[in-house]
Amino acid sequence: QQQVKQSPQSLIVQKGGISIINCAYENTAFDYFPWYQQFPGKGPALLIAIRPDVSEKKEGRFTISFNKSAKQFSLHIMDSQPGDSATYFCAASIGGSYIPTFGRGTSLIVHP
Amino acid sequence: NAGVTQTPKFQVLKTGQSMTLQCAQDMNHEYMSWYRQDPGMGLRLIHYSVGAGITDQGEVPNGYNVSRSTTEDFPLRLLSAAPSQTSVYFCASSDQREGAYEQYFGPGTRLTVT
């Protein structure tokens, strides 16, 4: 049973475009929603994270939008660049838990 | 700080062989975990540890053993390698950030079992 569903599995965007990756969760006890970025040949690294008390969090070109009632959250990458080409994982955890539940990942390719 | 280190980076095994994947962290994190990454399957938790001497199973523990004798080291042992264990393995340690736990991943070990 997949507790965090991520889509799409792969995404191709032109340079300068907007990349959007969506995640949906089932467990309403989740209260921390991080996104991890993984470049080829490297381990994932934390990119940005949000808690459900806010609907949006922005860091540079990266924005998380959060919809608590729909149990959905999404990552928006504005002005996408070839250097953003990577695999992105959404995740969810319950505050005191050190083991998050990961989505299956989205492979993003940004064409120059 | 070196962060989380893993060795080897690449390994080829024959079916039935055993080996140990090494993982070490120098951040004094209590929590460590092992994941495998397969295409389309994301990151699946194999085993985790909440401190020295304490380990527990994750989602896909069969065929793997772990031990945690020190805070720094968390090796993963493959008892009798099978082709289904061909994967990329990531070790991670966890630390609190904004009241929740952030995962710090190592660079991975790419394992092929023939």
Side-chain angles (χ1 to χ4, degrees):
Chain A
Q1 180 181 345
Q2 222 178 319
Q3 289 201 56
V4 178
K5 294 184 180 180
Q6 183 171 348
S7 63
Q9 187 171 348
S10 62
L11 181 62
I12 299 174
V13 173
Q14 292 295 317
K15 179 183 175 181
I18 302 173
S19 304
I20 301 174
I21 304 170
N22 300 300
C23 285
Y25 63 97
E26 298 170 3
N27 188 346
T28 55
F30 287 142
D31 62 359
Y32 182 67
F33 302 89
W35 285 87
Y36 285 80
Q37 180 187 52
Q38 181 186 28
F39 293 110
K42 305 292 185 184
L46 181 68
L47 178 64
I48 187 172
I50 196 169
R51 287 197 175 275
D53 54 343
V54 296
S55 60
E56 186 175 281
K57 183 173 181 179
K58 184 175 181 179
E59 290 186 2
R61 295 183 294 106
F62 298 90
T63 300
I64 301 178
S65 297
F66 187 83
N67 186 329
K68 188 174 182 178
S69 61
K71 293 187 287 184
Q72 295 175 347
F73 59 109
S74 59
L75 177 69
H76 296 236
I77 306 174
M78 310 301 288
D79 186 26
S80 298
Q81 299 296 312
D84 298 329
S85 298
T87 298
Y88 292 83
F89 292 97
C90 64
S93 65
I94 301 169
S97 172
Y98 41 84
I99 300 293
T101 299
F102 285 96
R104 291 190 174 182
T106 296
S107 175
L108 170 67
I109 297 174
V110 181
H111 283 311
Chain B
N1 285 354
V4 179
T5 58
Q6 291 183 238
T7 56
K9 197 165 181 61
F10 301 95
Q11 183 70 50
V12 179
L13 288 178
K14 294 187 186 305
T15 297
Q17 288 184 319
S18 63
M19 80 159 294
T20 299
L21 278 61
Q22 301 292 342
C23 174
Q25 54 98 3
D26 61 358
M27 297 174 283
N28 202 34
H29 292 169
E30 288 186 59
Y31 307 109
M32 297 186 73
S33 48
W34 275 101
Y35 294 86
R36 60 177 289 173
Q37 182 177 15
D38 303 289
M41 297 301 292
L43 296 160
R44 292 185 292 171
L45 182 66
I46 305 172
H47 284 286
Y48 62 97
S49 169
V50 302
I54 307 170
T55 64
D56 207 345
Q57 297 181 350
E59 180 186 356
V60 289
N62 292 343
Y64 308 95
N65 271 359
V66 292
S67 60
R68 183 100 179 268
S69 57
T70 66
T71 299
E72 294 78 19
D73 299 300
F74 191 41
L76 178 72
R77 297 184 186 83
L78 278 69
L79 308 173
S80 177
S84 61
Q85 294 179 303
T86 293
S87 186
V88 181
Y89 291 85
F90 290 100
C91 178
S93 67
S94 303
D95 189 30
Q96 273 207 334
R97 170 190 167 105
E98 298 179 1
Y101 285 91
E102 175 185 346
Q103 303 272 304
Y104 295 81
F105 287 87
T109 294
R110 183 174 293 275
L111 176 68
T112 302
V113 182
T114 62

